[in-house]
Amino acid sequence: MSTAELDALAALADPPGVLPLLERARVSRNLAFLAAALRGGNDSAPRRSARAGFDLLAAVQRRAPEVVREMLRHHRFGAWVAVCAVGAGGDPVAEESLAHLTSFAAAAAVRAGLEFELELPRVGDAVVLPGLGCWTGPATAPPRVRHDGRGTPLLDGYRWTPIRRLTAALPGGGVDIEFDDLPPTPSAWPETDIPDGSSGWTPWDAAEFDEWQRVFGAAMALLAEVVPGLAGPLARGIRAVLPRASASYPFVTSTLADSFGAAAMVRPADAVRVATGLLHEFQHSKLGVLMEIEPLIAVEGPADLPSPWRREPRPASALLHGSYAHLAVARFLRLAAGRTGSTPVPDAEPVRRQTLAGCDILLGSGRLTPAGRRFVTFMRQTAATDSGGRPAARTV
């Protein structure tokens, strides 16, 4: 990535070629993780399943390589392969999780119209095809799926539930992403333990989904109107919303570094809050991959840096992530004021000043690489001049 591209990202002016670069980088990392996860090991049942899944994925690659590329950058694949790679060589959870490669391979084969026969792992009472849907049925032995290359395979005694999708019509083209309420596959997402067979999975009800569709469509339209320069990359890069229950999920919105383009959210009440959450989390997704391409933190250090938006101190990377997300949110809130009818818009100025404070703490920490210092300096200059007519704070 060039210096000019880094500067543009820090100034919230994403160049057109950056998002494809980030996506290619994430696919490369996922492939490296897959190699690490499958290397060596014993002849356990999960490894035998994984090898069968890999063989099927290779067959899909020969027929429809674009389908495999799409699966390799799927948010569930990134989360799954990270669990397997990090725990490779000794973690029993990672070892058991290897069998889920067959689910990703089967989903790719269905998309490519490829015939196959494969045993798939269960998630509680469900069998998941990531990005497509899941079967639910009696919790017995793992089902053996046969596919003739046409449509979706049918399993006797199982009910198929297709994944639903959130859509939005925008001036530059439509948005069509997964509403991923399917049972959890192995990942590091909070509160996504794999259920046992005693608990049945049910999708979110139709009324709740309709409400999600309403606020999502309104949020994307608002972003496109108010901050088109930020909405464009978001519309092209967001892949999925993972709905969460407010009673049990510890965050209003969250992102997993391994799941590029996915945002877990407790449904906000209005489009302004949905837009804010999507924008905030997509900034995290971009920065997470960017920092793998170009290191911005020289010394992560202990979690001892003061945070302008949290009570507890944070490590350098967390402070950088928060500042980058706040930078975009502050711009959106400032420009959205007075353009949302009766829907209230929070004041942008406290968010902007938190961004400035976060940048100042980072610049004074001694923990940034030269590229990181330049990146944060451009962030600070952007926040300082994004003041909507207020006197600009000093720049570094």
Side-chain angles (χ1 to χ4, degrees):
M1 186 174 292
S2 69
T3 299
E5 288 171 327
L6 282 170
D7 293 348
L9 282 170
L12 301 183
D14 297 17
V18 164
L19 180 60
L21 173 61
L22 297 178
E23 291 180 331
R24 290 196 301 272
R26 180 41 52 95
V27 168
S28 296
R29 192 197 80 156
N30 287 348
L31 279 170
F33 276 10
L34 181 61
L38 297 179
R39 186 180 299 118
N42 54 32
D43 191 38
S44 64
R47 284 193 172 272
R48 290 194 298 273
S49 294
R51 285 193 290 270
F54 184 86
D55 290 344
L56 178 57
L57 204 59
V60 178
Q61 170 72 18
R62 290 190 290 271
R63 172 180 290 191
E66 70 284 354
V67 172
V68 174
R69 284 196 299 272
E70 187 66 23
M71 185 56 66
L72 290 173
R73 66 175 177 237
H74 193 273
H75 62 278
R76 282 183 179 250
F77 187 90
W80 163 80
V81 78
V83 168
C84 294
V86 171
D91 182 353
V93 173
E95 183 74 14
E96 192 68 26
S97 297
L98 285 171
H100 286 265
L101 180 57
T102 57
S103 299
F104 294 102
V110 170
R111 288 187 182 277
L114 194 69
E115 296 181 16
F116 68 89
E117 181 176 345
L118 203 61
E119 186 176 281
L120 301 184
R122 301 181 59 86
V123 178
D125 71 333
V127 179
V128 178
L129 287 187
L132 294 178
C134 70
W135 295 284
T136 50
T140 57
R144 193 163 189 86
V145 178
R146 296 176 180 85
H147 182 46
D148 63 4
R150 298 188 299 272
T152 302
L154 298 177
L155 294 180
D156 291 338
Y158 287 79
R159 178 175 60 88
W160 172 252
T161 302
I163 197 167
R164 292 169 289 186
R165 304 187 70 86
L166 298 172
T167 60
L170 302 180
V175 181
D176 186 335
I177 69 170
E178 294 178 18
F179 180 75
D180 192 352
D181 62 342
L182 300 181
T185 42
S187 76
W189 280 104
E191 204 201 60
T192 54
D193 293 337
I194 304 299
D196 58 32
S198 63
S199 56
W201 172 81
T202 55
W204 288 62
D205 66 44
E208 178 68 11
F209 172 76
D210 289 345
E211 188 61 19
W212 268 105
Q213 175 58 64
R214 182 188 69 79
V215 293
F216 175 79
M220 291 303 304
L222 179 61
L223 286 166
E225 175 190 353
V226 172
V227 283
L230 292 171
L234 171 62
R236 294 188 297 273
I238 190 73
R239 297 286 175 152
V241 164
L242 285 58
R244 297 291 190 250
S246 59
S248 57
Y249 198 62
F251 309 103
V252 177
T253 66
S254 67
T255 301
L256 183 65
D258 305 315
S259 294
F260 183 80
M265 303 179 72
V266 174
R267 179 175 57 80
D270 58 60
V272 171
R273 288 175 172 80
V274 174
T276 300
L278 291 172
L279 191 58
H280 183 110
E281 300 308 335
F282 191 61
Q283 290 293 99
H284 285 313
S285 276
K286 290 189 297 182
L287 185 60
V289 182
L290 171 60
M291 290 172 68
E292 295 172 0
I293 299 172
E294 179 65 61
L296 304 179
I297 304 294
V299 180
E300 176 72 345
D304 61 352
L305 297 178
S307 170
W309 45 83
R310 298 180 68 154
R311 292 181 178 178
E312 70 275 14
R314 306 289 282 159
S317 61
L319 193 59
L320 177 55
H321 265 278
S323 299
Y324 193 53
H326 278 64
L327 178 67
V329 168
R331 174 174 291 184
F332 165 67
L333 294 178
R334 180 176 68 81
L335 296 175
R339 302 172 71 174
T340 61
S342 60
T343 304
V345 177
D347 186 4
E349 185 61 11
V351 183
R352 188 181 75 91
R353 292 197 172 277
Q354 288 174 336
T355 307
L356 289 168
C359 290
D360 286 341
I361 293 166
L362 285 165
L363 290 168
S365 69
R367 297 184 186 179
L368 300 173
T369 64
R373 185 169 184 83
R374 182 183 179 93
F375 189 83
V376 175
T377 298
F378 270 82
M379 283 174 53
R380 195 193 191 286
Q381 290 174 346
T382 301
T385 54
D386 252 3
S387 55
R390 299 182 179 90
R394 67 177 181 85
T395 58
V396 176

